């Protein structure tokens, strides 16, 4: 495990200390949890951004589905005549 020192602003330190006592957890534990959650959220945002770029490229390449076809497919859900998903 690596060691990194950080400076924590007073407006963060005081609530962190109070939360640490209330949860009976060390400040180190809470800081590590916060960093893990931040990194996971960043990773998810990066994935979404990559998927967005790929979607834009597919649209530029003419790979899209007509809105009417999508609506007809969705409207068939829950009926006895469910349609196959539209293709691009």
């Amino acid at each position: 495990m690596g060691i990194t020192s950080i400076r924590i602003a007073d407006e963060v330190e005081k609530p962190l200390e109070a939360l640490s006592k209330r949860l009976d957890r060390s400040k180190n534990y809470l800081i590590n949890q916060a960093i893990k959650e931040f990194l996971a959220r960043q990773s998810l945002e990066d994935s979404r951004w990559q998927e967005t770029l790929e979607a834009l490229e597919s649209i530029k390449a003419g790979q899209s589905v007509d809105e009417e076809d999508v609506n007809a497919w969705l409207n068939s859900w829950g009926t006895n005549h469910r349609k196959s998903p539209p293709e691009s």
Side-chain angles (χ1 to χ4, degrees), residues 15-43:
L16 178 63
E17 181 71 34
L19 184 61
S20 171
K21 288 178 182 177
R22 186 168 56 88
L23 297 178
D24 195 27
R25 293 286 191 168
S26 68
K27 291 190 291 184
N28 181 67
Y29 173 84
L30 296 177
I31 291 168
N32 271 290
Q33 287 302 110
I35 291 170
K36 286 178 189 177
E37 289 177 22
F38 175 79
L39 293 174
R41 191 170 52 247
Q42 267 319 117
S43 178

Side-chain angles (χ1 to χ4, degrees), residues 62-67 69-70 73 83-88:
Q63 300 171 329
S64 62
V65 178
D66 187 68
E67 177 187 3
D69 294 340
V70 172
W73 172 57
K83 296 183 178 189
S84 298
E87 296 184 19
S88 60

Side-chain angles (χ1 to χ4, degrees), residues 43-57:
S43 178
L44 181 60
E45 287 180 19
D46 291 346
S47 294
R48 286 182 179 156
W49 179 245
Q50 188 59 42
E51 289 172 359
T52 299
L53 294 176
E54 290 170 9
L56 290 171
E57 285 301 316

